[in-house]
mmCIF file of all heavy atoms in Angstrom:
data_model
loop_
_atom_site.group_PDB
_atom_site.id
_atom_site.type_symbol
_atom_site.label_atom_id
_atom_site.label_comp_id
_atom_site.label_asym_id
_atom_site.label_seq_id
_atom_site.Cartn_x
_atom_site.Cartn_y
_atom_site.Cartn_z
ATOM 1 N N TYR A 18 8.634 -2.729 8.569
ATOM 2 C CA TYR A 18 8.189 -2.702 7.168
ATOM 3 C C TYR A 18 8.140 -4.118 6.592
ATOM 4 O O TYR A 18 7.163 -4.526 5.957
ATOM 5 C CB TYR A 18 9.144 -1.819 6.368
ATOM 6 C CG TYR A 18 8.796 -1.665 4.902
ATOM 7 C CD1 TYR A 18 7.679 -0.933 4.504
ATOM 8 C CD2 TYR A 18 9.596 -2.230 3.915
ATOM 9 C CE1 TYR A 18 7.367 -0.767 3.160
ATOM 10 C CE2 TYR A 18 9.294 -2.074 2.575
ATOM 11 C CZ TYR A 18 8.178 -1.342 2.203
ATOM 12 O OH TYR A 18 7.878 -1.187 0.870
ATOM 13 N N ALA A 29 -4.544 -8.256 6.764
ATOM 14 C CA ALA A 29 -3.463 -8.573 7.705
ATOM 15 C C ALA A 29 -2.435 -7.444 7.740
ATOM 16 O O ALA A 29 -1.905 -7.102 8.806
ATOM 17 C CB ALA A 29 -2.801 -9.890 7.302
ATOM 18 N N SER A 47 1.428 11.286 13.632
ATOM 19 C CA SER A 47 1.503 12.507 12.840
ATOM 20 C C SER A 47 1.929 12.197 11.408
ATOM 21 O O SER A 47 1.395 12.744 10.443
ATOM 22 C CB SER A 47 2.485 13.493 13.477
ATOM 23 O OG SER A 47 2.633 14.649 12.687
ATOM 24 N N VAL A 109 -25.700 2.925 2.759
ATOM 25 C CA VAL A 109 -26.837 3.844 2.843
ATOM 26 C C VAL A 109 -28.084 3.155 2.284
ATOM 27 O O VAL A 109 -29.147 3.148 2.902
ATOM 28 C CB VAL A 109 -26.547 5.139 2.071
ATOM 29 C CG1 VAL A 109 -27.779 6.035 2.044
ATOM 30 C CG2 VAL A 109 -25.377 5.883 2.694
ATOM 31 N N ILE A 165 -27.185 -23.495 -4.087
ATOM 32 C CA ILE A 165 -27.669 -24.828 -3.758
ATOM 33 C C ILE A 165 -26.577 -25.866 -3.999
ATOM 34 O O ILE A 165 -25.758 -25.728 -4.911
ATOM 35 C CB ILE A 165 -28.937 -25.161 -4.578
ATOM 36 C CG1 ILE A 165 -29.609 -26.413 -4.019
ATOM 37 C CG2 ILE A 165 -28.604 -25.322 -6.059
ATOM 38 C CD1 ILE A 165 -30.996 -26.652 -4.577
ATOM 39 N N PHE A 174 -19.822 -22.578 -8.039
ATOM 40 C CA PHE A 174 -19.426 -22.037 -6.733
ATOM 41 C C PHE A 174 -17.944 -22.260 -6.466
ATOM 42 O O PHE A 174 -17.218 -21.350 -6.057
ATOM 43 C CB PHE A 174 -20.268 -22.681 -5.632
ATOM 44 C CG PHE A 174 -19.639 -22.601 -4.272
ATOM 45 C CD1 PHE A 174 -19.586 -21.395 -3.593
ATOM 46 C CD2 PHE A 174 -19.076 -23.728 -3.689
ATOM 47 C CE1 PHE A 174 -18.988 -21.315 -2.339
ATOM 48 C CE2 PHE A 174 -18.478 -23.664 -2.441
ATOM 49 C CZ PHE A 174 -18.442 -22.450 -1.772
ATOM 50 N N ASN A 176 -15.588 -22.715 -8.551
ATOM 51 C CA ASN A 176 -14.789 -21.906 -9.466
ATOM 52 C C ASN A 176 -14.730 -20.456 -8.989
ATOM 53 O O ASN A 176 -13.659 -19.826 -8.979
ATOM 54 C CB ASN A 176 -15.384 -21.978 -10.876
ATOM 55 C CG ASN A 176 -14.527 -21.274 -11.900
ATOM 56 O OD1 ASN A 176 -13.396 -21.672 -12.172
ATOM 57 N ND2 ASN A 176 -15.047 -20.205 -12.477
ATOM 58 N N ASP A 200 -24.575 -25.138 5.162
ATOM 59 C CA ASP A 200 -25.389 -26.066 5.932
ATOM 60 C C ASP A 200 -25.638 -27.295 5.066
ATOM 61 O O ASP A 200 -24.917 -27.518 4.081
ATOM 62 C CB ASP A 200 -26.685 -25.408 6.424
ATOM 63 C CG ASP A 200 -27.556 -24.872 5.288
ATOM 64 O OD1 ASP A 200 -27.388 -25.326 4.135
ATOM 65 O OD2 ASP A 200 -28.396 -23.998 5.543
ATOM 66 N N ASP A 202 -27.885 -28.015 2.894
ATOM 67 C CA ASP A 202 -28.425 -27.841 1.547
ATOM 68 C C ASP A 202 -27.737 -26.759 0.716
ATOM 69 O O ASP A 202 -27.821 -26.793 -0.512
ATOM 70 C CB ASP A 202 -29.919 -27.496 1.627
ATOM 71 C CG ASP A 202 -30.717 -28.581 2.311
ATOM 72 O OD1 ASP A 202 -30.560 -29.754 1.937
ATOM 73 O OD2 ASP A 202 -31.483 -28.252 3.239
ATOM 74 N N LEU A 206 -21.933 -17.751 0.471
ATOM 75 C CA LEU A 206 -20.717 -17.015 0.135
ATOM 76 C C LEU A 206 -20.914 -15.545 0.502
ATOM 77 O O LEU A 206 -21.754 -14.857 -0.090
ATOM 78 C CB LEU A 206 -20.427 -17.162 -1.360
ATOM 79 C CG LEU A 206 -19.150 -16.546 -1.919
ATOM 80 C CD1 LEU A 206 -17.920 -17.124 -1.221
ATOM 81 C CD2 LEU A 206 -19.067 -16.797 -3.416
ATOM 82 N N HIS A 223 -28.361 12.409 -11.309
ATOM 83 C CA HIS A 223 -29.386 13.317 -11.809
ATOM 84 C C HIS A 223 -28.809 14.503 -12.583
ATOM 85 O O HIS A 223 -29.328 14.891 -13.617
ATOM 86 C CB HIS A 223 -30.252 13.811 -10.653
ATOM 87 C CG HIS A 223 -30.891 12.706 -9.885
ATOM 88 N ND1 HIS A 223 -31.811 11.844 -10.446
ATOM 89 C CD2 HIS A 223 -30.729 12.285 -8.600
ATOM 90 C CE1 HIS A 223 -32.203 10.957 -9.547
ATOM 91 N NE2 HIS A 223 -31.558 11.192 -8.417
ATOM 92 N N LYS A 244 -7.798 -5.092 -15.535
ATOM 93 C CA LYS A 244 -6.342 -5.168 -15.569
ATOM 94 C C LYS A 244 -5.823 -6.108 -14.481
ATOM 95 O O LYS A 244 -4.913 -6.917 -14.708
ATOM 96 C CB LYS A 244 -5.750 -3.771 -15.378
ATOM 97 C CG LYS A 244 -4.230 -3.710 -15.472
ATOM 98 C CD LYS A 244 -3.745 -2.267 -15.339
ATOM 99 C CE LYS A 244 -2.234 -2.177 -15.445
ATOM 100 N NZ LYS A 244 -1.761 -0.764 -15.304
ATOM 101 N N LYS A 266 -15.662 2.379 -0.804
ATOM 102 C CA LYS A 266 -14.264 1.978 -0.671
ATOM 103 C C LYS A 266 -13.684 2.525 0.627
ATOM 104 O O LYS A 266 -14.363 3.089 1.468
ATOM 105 C CB LYS A 266 -13.445 2.467 -1.859
ATOM 106 C CG LYS A 266 -13.266 3.986 -1.914
ATOM 107 C CD LYS A 266 -12.332 4.364 -3.038
ATOM 108 C CE LYS A 266 -12.116 5.871 -3.107
ATOM 109 N NZ LYS A 266 -11.168 6.268 -4.146
ATOM 110 N N LYS A 306 -9.095 -19.423 -15.827
ATOM 111 C CA LYS A 306 -7.700 -19.010 -15.804
ATOM 112 C C LYS A 306 -6.971 -19.603 -17.003
ATOM 113 O O LYS A 306 -7.127 -20.790 -17.322
ATOM 114 C CB LYS A 306 -7.021 -19.448 -14.502
ATOM 115 C CG LYS A 306 -5.629 -18.860 -14.326
ATOM 116 C CD LYS A 306 -5.246 -18.787 -12.871
ATOM 117 C CE LYS A 306 -3.946 -18.026 -12.701
ATOM 118 N NZ LYS A 306 -3.615 -17.777 -11.292
ATOM 119 N N THR A 321 -23.631 -14.333 -20.956
ATOM 120 C CA THR A 321 -25.032 -13.934 -21.086
ATOM 121 C C THR A 321 -25.318 -13.521 -22.526
ATOM 122 O O THR A 321 -24.590 -12.700 -23.093
ATOM 123 C CB THR A 321 -25.338 -12.747 -20.148
ATOM 124 O OG1 THR A 321 -25.014 -13.132 -18.797
ATOM 125 C CG2 THR A 321 -26.806 -12.361 -20.219
ATOM 126 N N SER A 339 -9.115 -10.064 -24.655
ATOM 127 C CA SER A 339 -9.727 -9.028 -25.488
ATOM 128 C C SER A 339 -11.245 -9.185 -25.545
ATOM 129 O O SER A 339 -11.971 -8.220 -25.806
ATOM 130 C CB SER A 339 -9.138 -9.057 -26.898
ATOM 131 O OG SER A 339 -9.338 -10.326 -27.498
ATOM 132 N N TYR A 350 -21.024 1.521 -23.377
ATOM 133 C CA TYR A 350 -21.803 2.221 -24.398
ATOM 134 C C TYR A 350 -23.293 2.171 -24.075
ATOM 135 O O TYR A 350 -24.003 3.166 -24.207
ATOM 136 C CB TYR A 350 -21.548 1.608 -25.777
ATOM 137 C CG TYR A 350 -22.426 2.196 -26.854
ATOM 138 C CD1 TYR A 350 -22.160 3.459 -27.391
ATOM 139 C CD2 TYR A 350 -23.559 1.501 -27.304
ATOM 140 C CE1 TYR A 350 -22.977 4.003 -28.361
ATOM 141 C CE2 TYR A 350 -24.388 2.040 -28.276
ATOM 142 C CZ TYR A 350 -24.085 3.287 -28.799
ATOM 143 O OH TYR A 350 -24.906 3.832 -29.740
ATOM 144 N N ASN A 351 -23.751 1.012 -23.621
ATOM 145 C CA ASN A 351 -25.171 0.861 -23.280
ATOM 146 C C ASN A 351 -25.575 1.824 -22.167
ATOM 147 O O ASN A 351 -26.625 2.447 -22.217
ATOM 148 C CB ASN A 351 -25.435 -0.586 -22.859
ATOM 149 C CG ASN A 351 -26.874 -0.826 -22.450
ATOM 150 O OD1 ASN A 351 -27.771 -0.866 -23.275
ATOM 151 N ND2 ASN A 351 -27.096 -0.994 -21.155
#
Side-chain angles (χ1 to χ4, degrees):
Y18 181 70
S47 177
V109 174
I165 192 168
F174 159 73
N176 186 65
D200 59 21
D202 300 311
L206 184 59
H223 303 296
K244 183 177 181 180
K266 69 174 181 177
K306 189 155 188 173
T321 303
S339 59
Y350 174 76
N351 178 73

